[in-house]
Amino acid sequence: MTISVGDKLPEVTLVKATAEGPQQVSSSEYFAGKKVALFSVPGAFTPTCSARHLPGYVEKASELKAKGVDEIAATAVNDAFVMGAWNQAAGSEDITMLADGNGDFAEAIGLTMDGSGFGLGKRGQRWSAIVEDGVVKELNVEAPGDFSVSSAEHMLGQL
């Protein structure tokens, strides 16, 4: 079942990429008591994700925060080392990288995709959400191959 607006995020363990190394964090602890602009990409360092998706959130970070967002977080079915390297290469300190290495989060919210045709295996879909205190307030799931509703620009219009 796919998560919907009004649903609480399921309890899973994510791995936060930090300067000190990977840090496990429960979803309930991470999202508690704050408004998070969360976006998911099929893979760090993949073309659209690196050329458009992450850069949009980097560019619009101050605008998102000015509209009440406490944190901006990216998630992907990648390990924390890859997510950390991606943030160092193309991100910013304004973006928290939440690795979903085994795809448990993507599976729990019902937003997986099969990227086997591209050698990617099971991944998370491209989507974004505004999450307040662990509850989904807005959810924007892209059609396969599209990039529009999960963008930072679209999210700004929802705040």
Side-chain angles (χ1 to χ4, degrees), residues 44-130:
F45 292 107
T46 57
T48 301
C49 305
S50 290
R52 298 176 63 202
H53 212 163
L54 178 59
Y57 281 91
V58 170
E59 180 184 311
K60 301 292 184 186
S62 61
E63 291 175 58
L64 288 163
K65 290 183 177 184
K67 288 197 170 199
V69 168
D70 298 305
E71 288 198 43
I72 302 165
T75 187
V77 180
N78 287 117
D79 64 67
F81 298 105
V82 169
M83 295 294 284
W86 191 41
N87 203 23
Q88 287 179 348
S92 82
E93 291 180 6
D94 289 317
I95 312 293
T96 300
M97 294 294 179
L98 297 175
D100 183 23
N102 295 325
D104 296 337
F105 184 61
E107 186 73 36
I109 61 173
L111 289 172
T112 61
M113 61 169 263
D114 183 0
S116 299
F118 304 101
L120 298 174
K122 183 180 87 172
R123 296 292 178 122
Q125 291 181 41
R126 184 180 309 282
W127 56 271
S128 70
I130 297 170

